[in-house]
């Protein structure tokens, strides 16, 4: 199967077979849909034993091989890409599993050991190398100054956390330039330091006088400016890119096998595992759906949201209803619609009302999405909702609960474990799920940890600041991040949130690269 893996759009009403490279470089399909693999591949029937002792990188290779044709990326190239992508992680396990011993059977899969201390590194380190790989292939016969070289100009907006992961994934990549827009004074000092202290020539941080919404709207306008886009080949690295989902599938397998290895022999048989995932754009948990469909025995995927709970409401009612975004203590999950949910929904529709017909599913999804953009709401059939509920459970968590979980976890674990607010949304939901299932259910819970607490000092200090013996500097802040404060910054200020000002800045910076 791997030699013929192709991709289609979730909104296409006709058969499509795009290459992996096309899906990765384009990001979004022409019809506005997202790329999905033409088939979800299966793991080998003996994978529970044959994969059980593999390293993260070896698992990544086995998983990705099933989704990328060998004539696009050879075995040796894929191994090399994976090896480079995970060479800058601070943990030998890449995504280590640790126990939260205040509860029975509760584990945390730490996804924040990459260069920027964010879970997005797991995918963006790989995506950056892939971009460079495909561009190098296209440019292999062209000299360094050949004006016809393929070049991508990545333009993105960030409210703080994603920008630095994108920058570290793409820094110093040949034939790629990066522009990250962020609202002046509205990202934390640490986040700004992480983005602006990267001195590589191809990285440009634009501090925009305006809000995050202004930044996002500017990025959209740049994309929609056809002439500008044709001239500079604007690319995106946001979480709808298929390669990001693909890279995230690995840690579901890796988390599962780490758990198996920790358990006594007697508990390994008939193992039941629920994964709890702090969710925003639904990319992280979607990777869990693919792992499950590939054959990983997953009891349930639990969507954990903050008060921006469109997913939680959908799973209770079948109505997907856009609501205004609220600012919460877990800002990376503050969304009004979850862009990757479209992929999951495509499968739910295809396997119910569309009766396994891909094209019919595309036509139904296409009308859902146009209802969503016109009316701000759509509703699925009871059958489709029921299938979604078989696979997913959900819970929504308030800011007060987030703070109280950070505090109780610190106080009740033997190692005074410190959660970041996003991971705390996961742990709160895991604890509620454990209470519903009963402490003696025998189920194991793996909650995903998406950021290092140092990145969200305000909330962590609010939760722990008055506890005797706790110190942010000693207990939380890594030396590497502390040092950033003294490094020189490279910032270009955008005085007005206007398209012409941004485009002028991009062209000026590009010509001086
Ligand atoms: C992006 C992000 C999330 C949400 O992940 P999705 O894939 O968008 O659901 C959660 N926590 C942190 C810290 C993040 O950066």
């Amino acid at each position: 199967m791997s030699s013929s893996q192709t991709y289609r759009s979730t909104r296409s009403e006709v058969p499509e077979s795009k290459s992996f490279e096309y899906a990765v470089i384009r990001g979004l399909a022409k019809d506005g849909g997202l790329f999905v693999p033409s088939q979800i591949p299966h793991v080998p029937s003996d994978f529970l034993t044959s994969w059980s002792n593999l390293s993260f990188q070896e698992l990544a290779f086995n998983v990705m091989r099933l989704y990328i044709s060998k004539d696009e990326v050879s075995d040796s190239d894929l191994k090399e890409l994976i090896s480079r992508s995970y060479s800058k992680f601070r943990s030998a396990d890449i995504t280590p599993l640790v126990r939260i011993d205040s509860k029975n059977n509760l584990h945390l899969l730490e996804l924040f050991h990459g260069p920027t201390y964010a879970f997005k590194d797991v995918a963006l380190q790989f995506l950056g190398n892939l971009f460079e790989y495909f561009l190098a292939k296209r440019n292999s016969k062209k000299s360094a100054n050949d004006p016809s070289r393929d070049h991508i100009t990545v333009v993105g907006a960030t409210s703080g956390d994603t920008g630095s992961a994108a920058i570290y994934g793409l820094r110093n990549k040949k034939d790629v330039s990066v522009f990250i827009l962020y609202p002046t004074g509205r990202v934390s000092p640490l986040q700004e330091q992480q983005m602006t202290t990267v001195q590589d020539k191809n990285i440009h941080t634009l501090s925009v006088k305006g809000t995050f919404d202004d930044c996002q709207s500017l990025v959209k306008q740049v994309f929609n400016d056809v002439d500008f886009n044709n001239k500079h080949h604007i690319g995106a690295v946001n979480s709808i890119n298929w390669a990001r989902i693909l890279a995230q599938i690995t840690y579901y397998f890796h988390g599962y096998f780490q758990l198996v290895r920790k358990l006594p022999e007697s508990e390994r048989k008939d193992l039941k595992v629920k994964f709890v995932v702090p969710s925003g754009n639904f990319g992280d948990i979607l990777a869990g759906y693919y792992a499950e469909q590939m054959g990983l025995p997953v009891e349930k995927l639990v969507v954990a949201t903050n008060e921006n709970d469109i997913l939680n409401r959908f799973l209770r009612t079948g109505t997907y209803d856009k609501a205004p975004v609220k600012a919460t203590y877990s800002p990376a999950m503050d969304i009004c619609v979850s862009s990757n949910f479209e992929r999951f929904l495509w499968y739910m529709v295809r396997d119910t009302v569309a009766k396994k017909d891909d094209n019919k599913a595309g036509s139904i999804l296409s009308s859902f999405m146009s209802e969503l953009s016109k009316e701000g709401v759509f509703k699925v059939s009871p059958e489709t909702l029921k299938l979604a509920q078989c696979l997913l459970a959900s819970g929504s968590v308030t800011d007060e609960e987030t703070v109280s979980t950070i505090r109780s976890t610190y106080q009740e674990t033997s190692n005074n474990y410190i959660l970041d607010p996003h991971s705390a949304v996961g742990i709160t939901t895991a604890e509620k799920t454990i209470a519903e299932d009963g402490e003696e259910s025998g189920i194991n819970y793996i909650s995903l940890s998406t950021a290092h607490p140092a990145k969200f000092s305000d909330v962590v200090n609010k939760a722990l600041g008055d506890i005797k013996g706790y110190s942010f500097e000693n207990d939380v802040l890594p030396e590497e991040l502390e040092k950033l404060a003294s490094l020189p910054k490279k910032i270009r200020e955008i005085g007005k949130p206007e398209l012409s000002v941004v485009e002028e800045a991009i062209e000026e910076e590009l010509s001086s690269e």
Side-chain angles (χ1 to χ4, degrees), residues 361-470:
S363 116
I364 296 173
L365 252 291
S366 181
S367 50
F368 280 162
M369 292 305 148
S370 89
E371 277 174 58
L372 184 67
S373 78
K374 283 193 205 111
E375 324 281 342
V377 57
F378 65 81
K379 190 170 176 64
V380 305
S381 77
E383 221 186 328
T384 303
L385 175 62
K386 208 165 143 203
L387 181 61
Q389 288 168 334
C390 282
L391 296 155
L392 301 181
S394 68
S396 154
V397 172
T398 64
D399 279 347
E400 291 65 42
E401 289 174 305
T402 304
V403 167
S404 127
T405 297
I406 295 172
R407 192 175 173 92
S408 62
T409 303
Y410 178 86
Q411 288 174 321
E412 292 164 21
T413 46
S414 60
N415 58 349
N416 298 129
Y417 194 91
I418 299 175
L419 294 164
D420 101 286
H422 304 79
S423 310
V425 168
I427 290 292
T428 310
T429 307
E431 287 176 344
K432 290 181 188 176
T433 310
I434 294 173
E436 281 164 26
D437 291 343
E439 298 251 1
E440 303 308 318
S441 67
I443 299 171
N444 276 276
Y445 301 84
I446 297 181
S447 197
L448 274 46
S449 173
T450 50
H452 189 284
K455 302 193 76 177
F456 300 93
S457 54
D458 287 0
V459 183
V460 172
N461 287 335
K462 188 188 267 291
L464 305 179
D466 67 339
I467 297 178
K468 202 161 169 263
Y470 163 80

Side-chain angles (χ1 to χ4, degrees), residues 119-120 161 239 248 278-284 332-333 420 422 450-451 456:
F119 104 93
K120 291 184 173 71
D161 219 33
S239 74
Q248 293 172 178
S279 295
N281 270 324
F282 204 77
D284 200 358
M333 291 153 60
D420 101 286
H422 304 79
T450 50
F456 300 93

Side-chain angles (χ1 to χ4, degrees), residues 56-331:
F56 181 97
Q57 289 87 340
E58 289 166 329
L59 285 171
F61 176 81
N62 284 358
V63 168
M64 291 180 183
R65 184 73 287 168
L66 298 171
Y67 288 94
I68 309 170
S69 301
K70 283 191 192 181
D71 50 4
E72 287 193 70
V73 184
S74 70
D75 279 353
S76 58
D77 287 354
L78 183 57
K79 278 189 188 144
E80 207 266 330
L81 282 169
I82 291 169
S83 151
R84 267 196 294 137
S85 300
Y86 299 109
S87 62
K88 297 194 191 88
F89 279 62
R90 293 175 305 279
S91 164
D93 279 328
I94 311 301
T95 57
L97 186 75
V98 302
R99 182 142 181 254
I100 297 295
D101 62 8
S102 51
K103 280 273 181 300
N104 270 336
N105 305 337
L106 178 57
H107 312 266
L108 199 66
L109 188 59
E110 293 182 342
L111 305 178
F112 55 73
H113 295 282
T116 75
Y117 294 75
F119 104 93
K120 291 184 173 71
D121 288 328
V122 178
L124 283 164
Q125 286 289 307
F126 178 68
L127 183 63
N129 285 321
L130 257 189
F131 269 15
E132 186 180 53
Y133 177 80
F134 285 133
L135 287 169
K137 268 191 165 178
R138 294 177 179 195
N139 292 330
S140 64
K141 296 201 174 64
K142 298 173 191 165
S143 75
N145 326 321
D146 188 332
S148 75
R149 282 181 81 87
D150 270 36
H151 180 273
I152 296 182
T153 305
V154 168
V155 182
T158 186
S159 57
D161 219 33
T162 318
S164 53
I167 287 171
Y168 276 75
L170 294 164
R171 63 188 294 183
N172 204 19
K173 299 289 181 230
K174 215 171 161 46
D175 298 311
V176 183
S177 305
V178 183
F179 291 85
I180 298 293
L181 284 66
Y182 68 92
T184 307
R186 300 196 194 205
V187 302
S188 78
L190 180 66
Q191 288 170 333
E192 183 174 55
Q193 287 159 16
Q194 278 189 303
M195 292 191 280
T196 57
T197 54
V198 174
Q199 297 294 339
D200 301 68
K201 277 208 318 251
N202 72 326
I203 301 296
H204 312 272
T205 43
L206 305 182
S207 177
V208 178
K209 250 207 173 66
T211 63
F212 172 57
D213 286 339
D214 291 331
C215 295
Q216 251 185 333
S217 146
L218 284 166
V219 169
K220 268 199 196 131
Q221 292 174 53
V222 171
F223 268 85
N224 294 336
D225 180 343
V226 178
D227 292 339
F228 194 80
N229 198 332
N230 284 343
K231 189 164 162 205
H232 298 296
H233 304 116
I234 307 299
V237 291
N238 49 12
S239 74
I240 50 98
N241 196 300
W242 167 252
R244 288 186 57 176
I245 309 297
L246 175 59
Q248 293 172 178
I249 299 174
T250 305
Y251 52 69
Y252 284 87
F253 285 93
H254 192 46
Y256 183 92
F257 288 126
Q258 287 182 83
L259 173 63
V260 172
R261 290 197 291 270
K262 279 178 205 280
L263 292 176
E265 196 81 49
S266 61
E267 290 175 31
R268 293 183 186 177
K269 247 180 99 67
D270 303 319
L271 185 60
K272 292 201 166 89
V273 183
K274 291 190 178 181
F275 284 92
V276 183
V277 189
S279 295
N281 270 324
F282 204 77
D284 200 358
I285 195 163
L286 181 73
Y289 170 73
Y290 281 103
E292 191 267 339
Q293 293 290 302
M294 290 170 77
L296 186 70
V298 175
E299 181 74 12
K300 204 100 187 178
L301 294 165
V302 186
V303 185
T305 71
N306 61 27
E307 288 176 63
N308 297 292
D309 63 342
I310 185 167
L311 294 167
N312 183 49
R313 284 181 286 118
F314 170 81
L315 284 165
R316 276 160 178 67
T317 61
T319 301
Y320 196 72
D321 193 357
K322 214 161 151 175
V325 185
K326 275 186 228 168
T328 73
Y329 288 170
S330 41

